[in-house]
């Protein structure tokens, strides 16, 4: 099992995106004038609900940040990234081409099918400009584009990996 590198800067951006609206909500709860008939218990219930949502978002962010691995076995290639998993059986692949790309824009992604795209962090399923399905697991540089020929669930995999892992994926498909 090999790890996909993560960028701490991207995790900070994601945390800000998740928590900024909650901070505004907390500010409204704490500093908004009380309505007629509102009690201290009402304010505490509202604060409790917001605290629960904050904990839920923190758990989602933690799980997303910690789940990033590539497992290469003779029978399958399994990529786990954030909440998404791609499994490619070796029997479904006739050839594999691996090339480093300088930026995610070179993957020619067009729209998100089921995934997350945020501040250079791409995780999940995307359509490319040619209408093909692409699985992304990008969270840092270097970025590799893996083209799969055969009956794989997608024709293209874009991922963050070390050069050693990229070579191992190429050897797996040879």
């Amino acid at each position: 099992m090999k790890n996909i590198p993560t960028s701490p800067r991207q995790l900070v951006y994601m945390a800000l995106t998740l928590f900024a609206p909650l901070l505004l909500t907390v500010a409204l709860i704490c500093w908004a004038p009380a309505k007629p008939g509102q009690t201290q218990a009402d304010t505490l219930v509202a604060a409790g609900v917001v605290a629960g949502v904050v904990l839920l978002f923190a758990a989602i962010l933690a799980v997303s940040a910690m789940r990033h691995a590539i497992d290469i076995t003779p029978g399958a290639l399994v990529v786990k990234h954030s909440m998404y998993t791609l499994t490619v059986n070796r029997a479904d692949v006739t050839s594999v081409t691996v090339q480093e790309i300088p930026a995610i824009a070179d993957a020619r992604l067009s729209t998100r099918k089921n995934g997350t795209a945020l501040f250079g962090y791409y995780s999940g399923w995307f359509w490319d400009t040619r209408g093909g399905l692409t699985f992304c697991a990008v969270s840092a540089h270097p970025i590799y584009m893996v083209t799969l020929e055969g009956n794989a669930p997608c024709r293209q995999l874009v991922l963050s990996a070390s050069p050693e892992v990229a070579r191992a994926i190429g050897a797996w498909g040879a």
Side-chain angles (χ1 to χ4, degrees), residues 72 77 90 95-98 146 163-174:
I72 304 170
L77 171 68
R90 180 61 185 98
S95 70
V96 173
T97 306
V98 180
V146 180
E164 296 81 24
V165 172
R167 282 192 293 276
I169 292 171
W172 174 83

Side-chain angles (χ1 to χ4, degrees), residues 43-113:
T43 303
L44 290 175
V45 167
V49 168
V50 170
V53 171
V54 167
L55 288 174
L56 176 67
F57 281 5
I60 290 169
L61 184 65
V63 166
S64 295
M66 293 173 18
R67 192 169 186 271
H68 51 87
I70 300 172
D71 190 18
I72 304 170
T73 66
L77 171 68
V78 180
V79 180
K80 296 175 183 174
H81 194 251
S82 185
M83 295 177 279
Y84 306 97
T85 301
L86 169 70
T87 301
V88 179
N89 293 319
R90 180 61 185 98
D92 295 336
V93 176
T94 55
S95 70
V96 173
T97 306
V98 180
Q99 68 180 31
E100 184 175 357
I101 57 175
I104 190 70
D106 295 319
R108 298 183 304 268
L109 301 176
S110 66
T111 55
R112 183 171 45 120
K113 179 182 178 191

Side-chain angles (χ1 to χ4, degrees), residues 90-167:
R90 180 61 185 98
D92 295 336
V93 176
T94 55
S95 70
V96 173
T97 306
V98 180
Q99 68 180 31
E100 184 175 357
I101 57 175
I104 190 70
D106 295 319
R108 298 183 304 268
L109 301 176
S110 66
T111 55
R112 183 171 45 120
K113 179 182 178 191
N114 182 14
T116 303
L118 198 20
F119 305 111
Y121 181 91
Y122 290 80
S123 184
W125 298 94
F126 295 80
W127 295 108
D128 64 25
T129 55
R130 297 174 307 274
L133 193 57
T134 301
F135 184 82
C136 292
V138 176
S139 51
H141 283 281
I143 302 171
Y144 291 91
M145 185 163 52
V146 180
T147 305
L148 305 165
E149 297 296 329
N151 295 322
C154 65
R155 297 282 181 250
Q156 186 171 281
L157 165 64
V158 180
L159 59 95
S160 298
S162 66
E164 296 81 24
V165 172
R167 282 192 293 276

